[in-house]
Amino acid sequence: MLRQFTCIMCPMGCSLEAEVFSEGRVEKVTGNNCKRGKEYAVREVTNPVRNIASSVLVEDGELPLASVRLNAPIPKKDIFSVMAEIRKIKVTAPVSIGQIVLQDVLGTGSDVIITKNVKRKAEEL
């Protein structure tokens, strides 16, 4: 079976074709202009992973949301479950870049980390 991909490893966006056996083993990859394209196609067939960027609610912050991301990619099949966990997160200001708000989300080995500083809301007089 032939599977087609557009490589995302560099700006070239090579059109890849992977020849895949029924047991999921990749026999041959064509269309790649570099080694990374072949590695990408094999990974997409055998163990596709993704990274997530989202936001979480911030209580008492100058902003209502803080951006977050995963510090390591997770299996593609876990995206919706991990997003459900991220939607449950509520932090209290101040928060800072690099702060872990959820460690080892769903046992994936990936942490959810803050990517935007949010200060505490100034007290009203």
Side-chain angles (χ1 to χ4, degrees):
M1 166 176 68
L2 278 180
R3 295 214 24 215
Q4 297 181 334
F5 303 96
T6 299
C7 184
I8 61 171
M9 299 308 293
C10 77
M12 289 182 66
C14 296
S15 295
L16 308 176
E17 281 193 348
E19 191 174 324
V20 182
F21 288 117
S22 59
E23 66 272 6
R25 187 171 47 90
V26 177
E27 173 63 23
K28 183 170 122 181
V29 175
T30 58
N32 55 303
N33 288 315
C34 68
K35 182 176 141 184
R36 291 186 304 168
K38 180 178 180 181
E39 292 167 355
Y40 171 75
V42 170
R43 189 173 53 248
E44 278 298 291
V45 170
T46 59
N47 183 31
V49 295
R50 297 291 184 271
N51 211 322
I52 294 176
S54 188
S55 56
V56 296
L57 293 172
V58 179
E59 292 181 331
D60 299 323
E62 289 182 332
L63 299 171
L65 300 171
S67 56
V68 296
R69 68 171 176 83
L70 300 178
N71 66 349
I74 59 167
K76 185 178 175 182
K77 68 177 180 56
D78 294 334
I79 290 173
F80 293 108
S81 301
V82 168
M83 280 303 302
E85 293 301 307
I86 290 172
R87 280 192 294 274
K88 295 176 188 176
I89 299 171
K90 191 181 293 187
V91 296
T92 303
V95 295
S96 55
I97 294 172
Q99 179 179 335
I100 296 173
V101 293
L102 182 57
Q103 198 166 22
D104 190 21
V105 60
L106 296 177
T108 60
S110 185
D111 300 332
V112 179
I113 61 171
I114 297 286
T115 60
K116 180 167 183 66
N117 294 325
V118 178
K119 296 178 183 177
R120 183 177 292 281
K121 189 182 335 181
E123 294 291 321
E124 294 181 24
L125 298 175

